[in-house]
């Protein structure tokens, strides 16, 4: 696992559709989209590439006044413009965005490589997922329905009836993480607007470029321009915006600490949050090899572990422990770390030095407490790391930083347990409860573990992967509030409204 050398980083936009949103030059200057207008600003934020930490673009650093002016439009006009656009026309908008995304694919792929450090296959995969999510908005629409409630089941409500509907809440604040900036923005815009909400998207400061490019496609596709904005504001300056009561929903994907802060600042309103994870895996004595080791290794190393559903803990029964250990070392050793522009690279850089520092410190903490590094664990450069597999005795596990905190980079702990029940107790003792995996063939043992694992999703004979959200996902405990997933998110961005009709004395019903 050696880091390959990189050449000079440069970002160039070639699609005619996207060129109007930036000024090309040695360092491209992007505009941002605020309630129908492409705007620059007096100050700019440098956008760095994790490949070599060079500045590849600049985006506006918006003031609170600039944001408030856009919110006035989004709230006063935009939330009604999107609501008054018929649902079937909203679906056509998403399909047009999907077509435009395919047409401009290469620019988006290059942005994800340069801005996120993704290898080309992963960047193409994110574009593919975004296109499919747009097309599958029809499945969200099928969940927009209500109920009829007859009144004759209570003497108090005789000669009345009610319908229960779902309505858009109005204006959604969507806070997007750095790791999947294109897909997460598509996802949040679709599930917010499909029911008729306006949406303001807070871009991640480290990876804002795919969001700004996507905003242009939504504009071209015909989403009401007053109904969405992309705000390029550093996270530390967001408190006043989060406090704004015009936002009736806050949708956040990020760390548990960020989620806790947003709830404290935001107060009472609707929240949808997918927060910290770092998923555990339980390997039973009848697990199938080499499939088990291959899937777990992918769960550890995919996108250099910068995924909330990345595998961080592996509990194995004694009968398969040594086989699993040997095969995991073999699989992880195949990873080639390097410049994501190199076709031979299978793992690119970490998003920034701070995250790589935390990863390095967490591994040092484990070593000091008796852990054994089985493979990897070396820092190859400011933002480059070797995916690490660490073996630790179960008696030391709860003392480790890696057990108590989600470290957003490729590292997993391997633990031998007496049996599945011990693995279950250790997994459930963490503060997080996003996903878990179970590998084995005894369906009765697997079913018992499924029942007792305190997580939002359990994957059987596969590593956790949220994908496009075709299956709903979300956490328990400190891992989140609510569920994301096609069709399943509707209830978190809508309000129920009950309408009661009174027909008393009008001889509609004649009860005995």
């Amino acid at each position: 696992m050696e880091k390959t050398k990189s050449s000079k980083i440069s970002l160039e936009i070639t699609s005619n559709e996207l060129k109007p949103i930036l000024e090309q030059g040695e360092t491209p200057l992007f505009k941002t989209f605020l309630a129908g207008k492409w705007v620059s600003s007096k100050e700019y934020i440098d956008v760095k590439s994790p490949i070599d930490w060079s500045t590849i673009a600049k985006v506006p650093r918006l003031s609170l006044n600039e944001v408030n002016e856009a919110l006035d439009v989004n709230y006063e006009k935009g939330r009604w413009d999107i609501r008054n656009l018929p649902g079937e026309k909203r679906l056509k908008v998403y399909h047009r965005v999907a077509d435009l995304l395919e047409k401009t694919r290469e620019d988006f792929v290059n942005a994800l490589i340069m801005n996120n450090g993704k290898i080309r296959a992963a960047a193409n995969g994110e574009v593919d997922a975004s296109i499919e999510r747009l097309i599958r908005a029809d499945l969200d629409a099928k969940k927009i329905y209500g109920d009829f409630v007859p009144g004759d089941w209570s003497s108090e409500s005789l000669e009345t009836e009610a319908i229960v509907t779902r309505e858009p809440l109005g204006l959604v604040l969507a806070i997007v993480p750095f790791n999947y900036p294109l897909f997460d923005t598509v996802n949040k815009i679709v599930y917010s607007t499909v029911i008729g909400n306006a949406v303001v998207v807070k871009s991640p400061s480290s990876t804002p470029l795919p969001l700004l490019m996507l905003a242009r496609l939504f504009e071209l596709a015909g989403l009401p321009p007053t109904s969405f904005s992309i705000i390029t504001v550093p996270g530390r300056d967001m408190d006043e915006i989060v406090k704004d009561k015009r936002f009736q929903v806050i949708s956040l994907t990020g760390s548990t600490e960020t989620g806790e802060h947003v709830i404290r600042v935001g107060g009472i309103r609707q929240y949808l949050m997918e927060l910290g994870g770092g998923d555990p895996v339980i390997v039973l004595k009848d697990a199938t090899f080499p499939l088990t080791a291959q899937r777990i290794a992918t769960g550890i190393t995919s996108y250099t572990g910068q995924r909330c559903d990345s595998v961080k803990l592996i509990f194995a029964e004694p009968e398969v422990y040594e086989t699993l250990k040997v095969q995991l070392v073999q699989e992880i050793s195949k990873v080639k770390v390097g410049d994501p522009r190199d076709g031979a690279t299978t793992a690119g850089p970490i998003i920034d030095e701070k995250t790589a520092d935390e990863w390095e410190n967490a591994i040092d903490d484990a070593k000091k407490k008796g852990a054994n590094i089985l493979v990897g664990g070396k820092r190859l450069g400011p933002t480059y790391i070797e995916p690490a597999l660490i073996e630790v005795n179960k008696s030391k596990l709860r003392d480790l930083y890696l057990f108590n905190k989600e470290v957003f980079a490729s590292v997993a702990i391997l633990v031998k347990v007496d049996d599945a029940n011990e693995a279950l107790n250790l997994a459930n003792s963490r503060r997080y409860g996003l996903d878990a995996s179970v590998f084995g063939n005894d369906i009765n043992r697997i079913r018992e573990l499924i029942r007792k694992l305190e997580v939002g999703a359990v994957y059987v004979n596969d590593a956790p992967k949220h994908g496009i959200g075709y299956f709903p996902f979300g956490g328990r405990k400190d891992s989140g509030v609510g569920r994301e997933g096609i069709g399943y998110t509707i209830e978190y961005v809508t309000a129920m409204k009950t309408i009661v009709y009174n027909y008393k004395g009008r001889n509609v019903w004649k009860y005995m």
Side-chain angles (χ1 to χ4, degrees), residues 334-352:
K334 297 175 184 177
V335 174
K336 184 175 182 182
V337 179
D339 188 326
R341 296 170 296 171
D342 183 342
T345 295
T346 57
I350 295 297
I351 194 63
D352 56 34

Side-chain angles (χ1 to χ4, degrees), residues 278-281 311-315 397 402-403 412-413 415 430:
D279 291 342
V281 172
V311 170
K312 303 296 184 189
L313 288 165
I314 308 153
F315 302 106
L397 179 64
L402 286 165
F403 182 81
I413 304 170
V415 184
R430 294 184 80 224

Side-chain angles (χ1 to χ4, degrees), residues 183-314:
F183 174 78
D184 272 316
T185 305
V186 164
N187 191 36
K188 291 183 190 305
I189 289 178
V190 168
Y191 67 59
S192 297
T193 59
V194 71
I195 183 66
N197 292 297
V199 60
V200 173
V201 184
K202 189 276 184 199
S203 69
S205 295
S206 56
T207 59
L209 303 185
L211 284 77
L212 302 178
M213 295 159 63
L214 181 67
R216 173 63 172 163
L217 302 191
F218 271 103
E219 179 192 30
L220 292 173
L223 193 69
T226 58
S227 301
F228 69 109
S229 293
I230 308 291
I231 57 172
T232 47
V233 179
R236 60 182 175 273
D237 298 335
M238 279 294 295
D239 280 9
E240 289 304 313
I241 298 168
V242 167
K243 289 177 185 177
D244 196 316
K245 291 299 183 180
R246 288 175 292 187
F247 293 115
Q248 295 195 354
V249 186
I250 297 180
S251 170
L252 164 71
T253 303
S255 69
T256 295
E257 292 75 17
T258 299
E260 290 172 335
H261 179 78
V262 167
I263 290 173
R264 283 196 298 270
V265 171
I268 298 172
R269 68 186 79 202
Q270 191 98 318
Y271 289 100
L272 174 61
M273 294 187 169
E274 199 230 337
L275 306 176
D279 291 342
V281 172
I282 299 175
V283 182
L284 302 177
K285 61 185 177 183
D286 61 345
T288 301
F289 290 92
L291 177 141
T292 297
Q294 291 169 345
R295 297 296 171 86
I296 293 174
T298 298
I300 297 168
T301 62
S302 177
Y303 190 33
T304 324
Q306 298 175 111
R307 297 164 42 238
C308 51
D309 54 4
S310 181
V311 170
K312 303 296 184 189
L313 288 165
I314 308 153

